[in-house]
Amino acid sequence: TDLTVRVNDLNYGAHVGNDNMLLLMQQARINFYRSHGFKDEVSFEGSVGQIISDALVIYKAEAFLGDVLNIQVAVTDINKYGFDMLYHVSNKESGKEIARGKTGIVCFDYEKRKVAAIPE
């Protein structure tokens, strides 16, 4: 997915802040889910959605206001209760790598308020 860096994505260094990189990855994750027929992160099937168990970002370069970031998403390490999502962020115009990321996804039943198995 392609996302444009907005003014509210910047920190005092005038580049994408570390917290906002996670938000950009979240939007890419939502776009990924929607492209596979899911409504959003909290409704995979019935009351089962996802929670984030861990997050990692490795920064390679700065991203600035107006930059268009291409964020590629992949799923790996699938198990009974979840999976990992990997992110590769690059500047669409220059091709320069901006960041790499990973989020641990655990399926969660929002009605029962507990971990759930991955739905079919």
Side-chain angles (χ1 to χ4, degrees), residues 12 34 51-52 79 87 91 93 95-96 102 106 110-111:
Y12 57 85
R34 287 181 179 161
I51 56 175
I52 303 294
N79 62 61
Y87 309 84
N91 181 299
E93 184 178 323
K96 187 173 190 175
K102 177 220 167 253
V106 174
Y110 281 89
E111 285 181 8

Side-chain angles (χ1 to χ4, degrees), residues 76-94:
T76 186
D77 294 332
I78 299 169
N79 62 61
K80 182 177 178 179
Y81 297 104
F83 48 91
D84 287 340
M85 293 190 89
L86 305 177
Y87 309 84
H88 184 264
V89 183
S90 60
N91 181 299
K92 185 172 182 176
E93 184 178 323
S94 70

Side-chain angles (χ1 to χ4, degrees), residues 24-97:
L24 290 164
M25 290 177 181
Q26 178 183 24
Q27 185 60 59
R29 183 171 60 249
I30 291 168
N31 292 355
F32 176 86
Y33 287 151
R34 287 181 179 161
S35 76
H36 286 85
F38 298 101
K39 179 182 164 190
D40 56 34
E41 296 177 304
V42 295
S43 58
F44 289 160
E45 183 178 282
S47 62
V48 176
Q50 65 140 63
I51 56 175
I52 303 294
S53 62
D54 60 88
L56 168 74
V57 180
I58 301 169
Y59 300 95
K60 299 292 189 169
E62 296 173 293
F64 301 101
L65 181 63
D67 285 353
V68 177
L69 302 179
N70 176 261
I71 305 176
Q72 298 175 330
V73 179
V75 175
T76 186
D77 294 332
I78 299 169
N79 62 61
K80 182 177 178 179
Y81 297 104
F83 48 91
D84 287 340
M85 293 190 89
L86 305 177
Y87 309 84
H88 184 264
V89 183
S90 60
N91 181 299
K92 185 172 182 176
E93 184 178 323
S94 70
K96 187 173 190 175
E97 184 178 30

